[in-house]
Structures are given as C-alpha cells and as structure tokens.
Amino acid sequence: MAIITKITTQKRDTGRYNIYMDFGKGEEFAFSADEAVIIKFKLRKGMELDEFALAEVGYHDEIRKAYNNAINYLSHKMRSEKEVRKHLKEKKLEEAAINEVIHRLHEQGYLNDAEYADAYVRTQISTTDKGAYVVRMELKERGIADPLIEEALKRYTPEEQFEKAKTLAEKYARKYSGESERILKQKLDAMLRRKGYQTDAIQFALDEGDFGRNEEDELEAIRLQGEKAHRKHAKLTGYAYERKMKETLFRKGFPIELIERYLEARGEE
C-alpha cells in the first residue's frame, strides 16, 4: 500500500493538485488530480491507496480533464458531437473518458446535434451566400446525421434560395461585363453551382436576374473581345484572319450575326 505524504496546489492551475506518495522508497511525486476528484475520493495526507484505488482515481481524473476541456471548447460557440470528440482526441485523452464525457454533455444539454444543425442553417442563411447543397455538405462534415440535416434545411425555403441565387447572380454579373451574354450566363451558372445552388434556383436566377444587359452592352463586349482577338491574330490577313476572328469570337459566346457586323464595321474603320 502506498501512502499520501503531501498534497500541494499547482502554481499554474489552482484547480489542480499535485499528489506526493511514499511507495516504500520515500516521498515522490505520484500524480496530479482535479479538485473535484480530490473531494470525491476524500484524498488527504496519510491516506493509503492500493493499485485499484490509484487506477480508479486516475480514471476519474481523466474524465474530469476531458469534461473541463469540452466545456472550455463549447464556451466559445456551439459544437457538434463529432467536433467535440475530435477536439478531445487531439488532447490525447482516453477513449473511455471521452465517451463518458460525451454522454454527460448530452444529458446536461451542452451537446445537441439537432439544435446545432438548426442554428447552423439559420446562421448560413443570414450571414453567407451559400446554397443549400454546400450547407448540407458542411453539416455532414461536422458529423450531423442525415435526418437532422434534412429537418434543419427545411428552414432554407426554395423561395429564399431562389432570391439569394438571383441577388448573387446580379452582383457577380458586374465582374463579367466584358463577356458575351452567353458566356456571362455560363460563368454565373458555374459560380452558383460552386456556391451550392441547385438547377432550379440557378435557372430562376438566370431567367429573372437583372444583369443590365442591352444591345449596346453586347456591342461593347464584342469590341473588347474583338480587340483581344485582333492582337492575337494581327499577323494574319484576308480569309485566314477573318476565319480566326470568327472562330475566336464565336467561342466567346457571340452570335454569328453580331460577329459579322463587328468585323464589317472593323473593316470599314
């Protein structure tokens, strides 16, 4: 049997204590323990502990360390169960202690993946331009079960998704003012898909969005792209030059009628 010879408060963490014991060879540092563990086991100077008691104290202290770490992690913002588990594993805490703490946190209401998913969706709707698909994938990465994800995403109504997609498309359209209308819409389509919007919301945005495009905008766009194409093919002449210019501008999304008008006007110039 080992005997506790001294209990001292840690300098850096007054909630933890260093336990010194005599295992038969004089006093030596044995372990540290949380204040709650000291109280639970009524540890005191002169108390004898066998191997079983030492193991039990160590296990409960591991739980306490895991619990304190989890509470501190949760104090900054809501977390999913998967996030808390990952955080505790990174702290090199034992799996059994982690499982016990996760169970306790659920019982105390500190962990609730359904509430987490609901709050996450509300935050993404109000503070980001993400579509429902991206939000769904982010929740899956955080370990939220599919039924909880689907329930939370009911908050993100089709009407909201359609309007957000339309607003986003109108905003980004200004970046592509030098493109043909067809290429503009292709780029907006790609952008909205990357943001997580589905086909129906994208189609609504492209059909209903006000991109400020008129005939003069399209003429200005083809002049801009035409100048770039001309610099590239300036060494060519005659039919070869005209063919390359048409191919280039057609790939840029301009209709053949507009290309021919542009080339005719350029020839006159």
Side-chain angles (χ1 to χ4, degrees):
M1 297 282 279
I3 300 174
I4 296 176
T5 58
K6 184 170 60 178
I7 300 177
T8 61
T9 306
Q10 289 188 351
K11 292 181 179 180
R12 293 186 177 181
D13 186 350
T14 56
R16 291 190 65 79
Y17 294 79
N18 292 328
I19 314 297
Y20 295 82
M21 301 184 71
D22 185 350
F23 293 90
K25 298 180 180 180
E27 182 179 272
E28 62 181 276
F29 172 76
F31 58 90
S32 65
D34 188 88
E35 183 177 20
V37 175
I38 300 287
I39 295 170
K40 177 179 177 65
F41 290 91
K42 300 178 181 178
L43 300 181
R44 62 194 182 279
K45 183 178 178 179
M47 184 177 184
E48 292 186 345
L49 297 173
D50 58 19
E51 290 185 6
F52 176 79
L54 284 170
E56 191 173 10
V57 169
Y59 174 65
H60 279 83
D61 189 59
E62 186 78 358
I63 291 174
R64 193 65 193 179
K65 282 192 288 186
Y67 183 80
N68 290 341
N69 264 288
I71 291 297
N72 182 61
Y73 186 56
L74 288 164
S75 67
H76 302 290
K77 65 176 185 178
M78 290 182 73
R79 313 278 187 177
S80 67
E81 178 182 323
K82 181 181 178 181
E83 288 176 314
V84 174
R85 282 187 180 277
K86 180 174 182 289
H87 175 74
L88 295 179
K89 286 179 180 179
E90 289 172 352
K91 297 294 182 180
K92 310 299 184 185
L93 294 161
E94 294 179 7
E95 188 70 26
I98 292 174
N99 289 336
E100 175 63 31
V101 167
I102 292 296
H103 177 71
R104 187 179 299 179
L105 292 172
H106 275 296
E107 284 190 330
Q108 295 173 341
Y110 290 120
L111 272 184
N112 187 314
D113 278 359
E115 291 182 2
Y116 175 89
D118 186 70
Y120 190 87
V121 170
R122 283 190 280 108
T123 299
Q124 300 311 303
I125 292 172
S126 62
T127 64
T128 76
D129 55 18
K130 297 172 186 175
Y133 180 77
V134 165
V135 176
R136 177 181 283 106
M137 291 301 102
E138 290 177 345
L139 285 171
K140 285 181 75 70
E141 289 173 5
R142 287 159 174 77
I144 307 302
D146 287 339
L148 299 182
I149 293 175
E150 296 309 317
E151 183 63 29
L153 281 174
K154 289 179 181 178
R155 283 189 171 276
Y156 205 171
T157 65
E159 291 76 17
E160 283 180 302
Q161 294 179 52
F162 280 31
E163 285 304 317
K164 283 176 77 75
K166 176 173 170 286
T167 300
L168 194 57
E170 291 172 344
K171 174 185 174 182
Y172 271 75
R174 294 192 289 271
K175 293 177 58 178
Y176 308 129
S177 59
E179 304 287 358
S180 67
E181 185 173 3
R182 182 163 68 87
I183 295 298
L184 164 68
K185 289 191 173 183
Q186 286 179 1
K187 290 188 173 182
L188 292 177
D189 182 290
M191 177 274 297
L192 290 170
R193 290 188 189 282
R194 288 195 301 273
K195 293 285 187 179
Y197 291 92
Q198 301 298 300
T199 300
D200 51 356
I202 293 172
Q203 195 58 56
F204 175 83
L206 298 183
D207 290 343
E208 302 298 327
D210 180 8
F211 307 131
R213 302 287 294 199
N214 53 41
E215 185 177 359
E216 185 56 38
D217 292 317
E218 195 76 349
L219 289 171
E220 182 58 33
I222 198 170
R223 281 195 288 267
L224 177 63
Q225 297 298 332
E227 285 301 316
K228 293 180 181 179
H230 172 72
R231 289 194 293 271
K232 184 177 180 181
H233 305 305
K235 293 182 179 180
L236 300 176
T237 59
Y239 175 74
Y241 171 80
E242 183 177 339
R243 181 170 63 84
K244 283 293 185 182
M245 288 291 288
K246 285 183 177 180
E247 288 176 356
T248 300
L249 293 173
F250 188 73
R251 285 197 299 271
K252 291 292 184 179
F254 297 102
I256 192 64
E257 296 84 1
L258 186 59
I259 295 172
E260 289 177 345
R261 281 175 56 192
Y262 167 73
L263 291 176
E264 183 179 347
R266 184 176 184 84
E268 291 175 356
E269 291 174 1

